[in-house]
Amino acid sequence: MSGRIVIAGAGSIGCFVGGLLALGGEEVVLLARPRIAEEIGTHGLTLTSFEGWREQLEPTRLKVETDPAAALADAALVLVTVKSGATAEMAALIATHAPPSAAVISLQNGLANAAILRAALSNRAVYAGMVSFNVLHQGEGCFHRGTSGPLVIEAGAPPLVAPHLDIIAHGDMAAVLAGKLVYNLNNALNALSGLTLRQQLADRRWRLILAAAQDEALAVFQAEGIQPWSLGKVPVTRFPRILRLPNVLFRLVSRRGVRIDASARSSMWDDLERRRPTEIDELQGAVIAKAAALGLAAPVNHRIAEAIRAAEAAAAGSPRLDPAALLRRRS
């Protein structure tokens, strides 16, 4: 990639991906909130992974901006990594400050972000993307990758290359984003549990709830004629059956799936702990809305969404629910 790459919304994913692109020799500008900009200016970036590697970028190797006009000027490519609720706002900033020739790639959770960007940036090339792995901000400029998986970008987008990143192009991003949404339905359950991902998925009671939520999502995608893309060897459509297995069998089968760091947690858990709005409307909320439009029911996703919204309102971090509380509500 030749030219400036702007990370529009340098949080956990943005700092991790942007840092690796800079490590690979790209000209990268991180558009960040003042708190993150100050942290990176003091500590630089430390990027680590469950695989064991560690990369350090000193503050002098990074360009961080808090002013959108300064960051987006002369951009050749904009990677949008803001939370989904801020997509329209970021689109307006790109329209105002980025050159008309700048391409835009959404690297966000949810199904609708690329469409929102295209509607606001109709004269620009806009592409969908999907980050399949988890990144946790550990403070002092350290961002840790806790799960395996590639970075998937819509075919035809400007090519990206970075160390430690498996970047692939795909021609059917609707299928890719649908598959990611099925995975991401666990974000809320992990946030409600207060456990690490490994601990939570080891508890069959949590897995039973996730399986039911995924069943509802898969029914929606089937009705829409979408076959969700599978990130690993196990087809997404088999997930609910695997999640319902007894613990011993689940441990055996899950070894073929995504690798998870012992300390990994979901980004929604991080949002609750930091008292930030979550992306529940783009995850469980998307299933609920699509189900309603198709005349289908999504009671499990409704219940999960209600529990997350209650936790947001309480502003006390993860409620550390016992899964039986959600199971009882379903009955």
Side-chain angles (χ1 to χ4, degrees):
M1 174 75 199
S2 60
R4 172 183 288 187
I5 300 174
V6 178
I7 307 299
S12 296
I13 292 296
C15 284
F16 190 85
V17 172
L20 289 180
L21 288 168
L23 193 68
E26 300 285 2
E27 179 191 356
V28 176
V29 178
L30 303 178
L31 175 56
R33 295 185 183 279
R35 175 180 60 82
I36 296 292
E38 181 179 356
E39 182 179 332
I40 295 173
T42 301
H43 301 284
L45 279 181
T46 301
L47 309 177
T48 61
S49 174
F50 72 97
E51 299 156 306
W53 56 260
R54 178 186 183 90
E55 301 285 2
Q56 179 75 41
L57 289 90
E58 297 299 325
T60 54
R61 293 188 61 185
L62 299 161
K63 186 172 180 60
V64 186
E65 292 282 0
T66 58
D67 177 12
L72 291 164
D74 301 323
L77 175 64
V78 181
L79 303 183
V80 180
T81 57
V82 294
K83 295 289 187 181
S84 296
T87 302
E89 179 184 357
M90 183 54 71
L93 292 173
I94 294 169
T96 301
H97 301 298
S101 58
V104 179
I105 301 176
S106 167
L107 298 182
Q108 302 163 273
N109 284 332
L111 303 175
N113 290 297
I116 293 170
L117 290 167
R118 288 189 181 107
L121 303 169
S122 58
N123 62 330
R124 300 171 189 266
V126 177
Y127 303 92
M130 187 277 289
V131 180
S132 65
F133 51 84
N134 164 281
V135 176
L136 186 63
H137 182 192
Q138 297 181 322
E140 297 188 348
C142 183
F143 295 86
H144 179 73
R145 172 176 171 161
T147 62
S148 63
L151 176 63
V152 184
I153 297 176
E154 186 174 352
L160 294 175
V161 178
H164 306 299
L165 279 184
D166 179 16
I167 304 174
I168 61 177
H170 201 284
D172 186 356
M173 289 304 297
V176 171
L177 294 174
K180 177 68 185 303
L181 180 63
V182 174
Y183 279 88
N184 275 352
L185 292 178
N186 191 51
N187 283 12
L189 296 178
N190 183 249
L192 293 170
S193 75
L195 303 170
T196 68
L197 284 166
R198 276 194 189 179
Q199 290 169 335
Q200 178 234 328
L201 290 171
D203 188 330
R204 188 169 180 265
R205 296 173 301 165
W206 283 115
R207 297 202 308 274
L208 291 175
I209 300 171
L210 176 57
Q214 290 183 343
D215 275 336
E216 293 175 357
L218 290 169
V220 164
F221 291 129
Q222 182 178 23
E224 290 185 323
I226 295 173
Q227 179 67 38
W229 185 65
S230 300
L231 301 178
K233 296 178 181 179
V234 179
V236 169
T237 52
R238 291 181 57 192
F239 280 11
R241 185 186 308 172
I242 292 170
L243 289 166
R244 291 185 171 100
L245 291 172
N247 287 335
V248 173
L249 292 177
F250 175 76
R251 284 194 294 270
L252 290 173
V253 175
S254 62
R255 290 174 184 170
R256 299 174 57 197
V258 173
R259 291 174 291 167
I260 303 175
D261 188 286
S263 63
R265 299 173 188 265
S266 74
S267 58
M268 197 173 293
W269 171 86
D270 193 44
D271 288 337
L272 288 184
E273 291 297 302
R274 295 176 187 269
R275 281 53 166 175
R276 296 184 305 220
T278 72
E279 293 184 306
I280 193 66
D281 288 341
E282 286 72 37
L283 301 179
Q284 267 73 14
V287 177
I288 294 165
K290 284 178 170 291
L294 293 164
L296 301 175
V300 178
N301 283 288
H302 263 291
R303 186 60 65 191
I304 295 167
E306 288 173 356
I308 286 291
R309 293 186 182 112
E312 286 180 320
S318 169
R320 294 168 175 78
L321 291 182
D322 186 300
L326 283 176
L327 290 170
R328 282 196 298 272
R329 292 177 186 180
R330 288 176 52 213
S331 61

